[in-house]
């Protein structure tokens, strides 16, 4: 992100089914990031159907190339996963494994990026476990999980047919995550400019 430009916030998550609850949650979060002054991009639904990641053998597909390019260019990231058997889904984990392609980049993995996290489950226990797993992965990728993580209990209806979040608590969590990712990405950029000024 350079002077005068809007930060790019990437959203990754959902299920193979377009319009899943997790995808809708991610869309609400990214809409809040956009309202806070960011550009956004989302990898969800069928776009998550990537070949299994094999280190050192990057698959030559447009979807994989786009994901890695967005990982490289984004100023912040939001990861949203359904809770499958007490943790994040294999589909989302596989997408995150593609960050290994940034192991030798100027910015390794998600180093220094704000990482917003969303977990959706039909019950509270699995949301907590999944958020904890996502936080561990964000740390392993050198990211900074935002203070707010969204835990959504989908055992009750929280979205209307148009995808709007009708549950006030869920909407507050999702919007706060999006706003925090943007705020921290701007703080990171300000510190980077300050450090460059001191060195120059």
């Amino acid at each position: 992100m350079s002077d005068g430009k809007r930060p790019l916030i990437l959203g990754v998550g959902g299920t193979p089914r377009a319009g899943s609850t997790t995808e809708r949650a991610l869309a609400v979060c990214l809409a809040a990031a956009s309202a806070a002054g960011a550009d956004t991009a989302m990898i969800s639904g069928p776009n998550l159907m990537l070949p299994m990641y094999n280190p050192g053998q990057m698959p030559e597909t447009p979807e994989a190339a786009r994901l890695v390019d967005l990982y490289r260019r984004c100023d912040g990231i939001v990861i949203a996963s359904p809770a499958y058997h007490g943790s994040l889904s294999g589909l989302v984990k596989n997408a995150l494994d593609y960050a290994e392609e940034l192991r030798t980049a100027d910015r390794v993995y998600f180093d220094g990026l704000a990482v917003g996290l969303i977990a959706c489950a039909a019950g509270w226990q699995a949301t907590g476990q999944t958020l904890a797993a996502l936080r561990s992965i964000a740390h392993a990728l050198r990211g900074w999980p935002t203070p707010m993580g969204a835990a959504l209990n989908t055992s009750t209806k929280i979205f209307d047919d148009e995808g709007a979040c009708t549950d006030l608590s869920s909407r507050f969590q999702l919007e706060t995550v999006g706003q925090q990712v943007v705020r921290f990405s701007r703080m990171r950029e300000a510190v980077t400019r300050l450090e460059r000024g001191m060195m120059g």
Side-chain angles (χ1 to χ4, degrees):
M1 177 175 53
S2 58
D3 293 353
K5 288 193 175 181
R6 292 160 63 95
L8 174 61
I9 307 303
L10 171 63
V12 176
T15 73
R17 179 175 59 85
S20 68
T21 299
T22 308
E23 182 178 320
R24 290 182 174 192
L26 183 57
V28 170
C29 185
L30 291 178
S34 179
D39 290 330
T40 64
M42 184 164 69
I43 303 289
S44 191
N47 291 324
L48 280 173
M49 298 292 289
L50 301 163
M52 289 298 294
Y53 181 72
N54 188 4
Q57 297 184 28
M58 174 72 175
E60 296 181 4
T61 67
E63 294 80 10
R66 178 171 181 255
L67 176 62
V68 173
D69 177 62
L70 286 168
Y71 279 159
R72 195 181 309 276
R73 294 191 295 112
C74 72
D75 302 297
I77 187 167
V78 179
I79 304 166
S81 179
Y84 287 175
H85 307 122
S87 191
L88 72 160
S89 72
L91 196 68
V92 173
K93 178 60 169 63
N94 184 53
L96 292 172
D97 286 344
Y98 276 79
E100 182 64 19
E101 291 298 305
L102 275 65
R103 64 190 177 278
T104 59
D106 290 339
R107 187 193 72 209
V108 179
Y109 304 137
F110 303 153
D111 190 26
L113 296 187
V115 183
L117 304 170
I118 302 168
C120 298
W124 292 116
Q125 180 174 336
T127 61
Q129 293 175 182
T130 303
L131 272 180
L134 288 170
R135 285 195 174 105
S136 294
I137 292 170
H139 286 144
L141 292 172
R142 306 187 189 183
W144 294 76
T146 57
M148 174 66 81
L152 274 58
N153 184 344
T154 60
S155 62
T156 59
K157 187 175 181 179
I158 58 178
F159 295 97
D160 64 21
D161 293 338
E162 285 70 46
C165 188
T166 56
D167 180 75
L168 293 180
S169 174
S170 298
R171 189 171 71 206
F172 170 79
Q173 293 179 67
L174 294 170
E175 290 179 347
T176 301
V177 170
Q179 292 161 0
Q180 287 185 347
V181 172
V182 175
R183 187 175 303 123
F184 295 142
S185 71
R186 287 190 172 131
M187 291 168 59
R188 176 178 179 270
E189 177 66 12
V191 170
T192 299
R193 287 200 303 266
L194 179 62
E195 290 175 344
R196 287 173 181 165
M198 294 173 64
M199 292 171 60

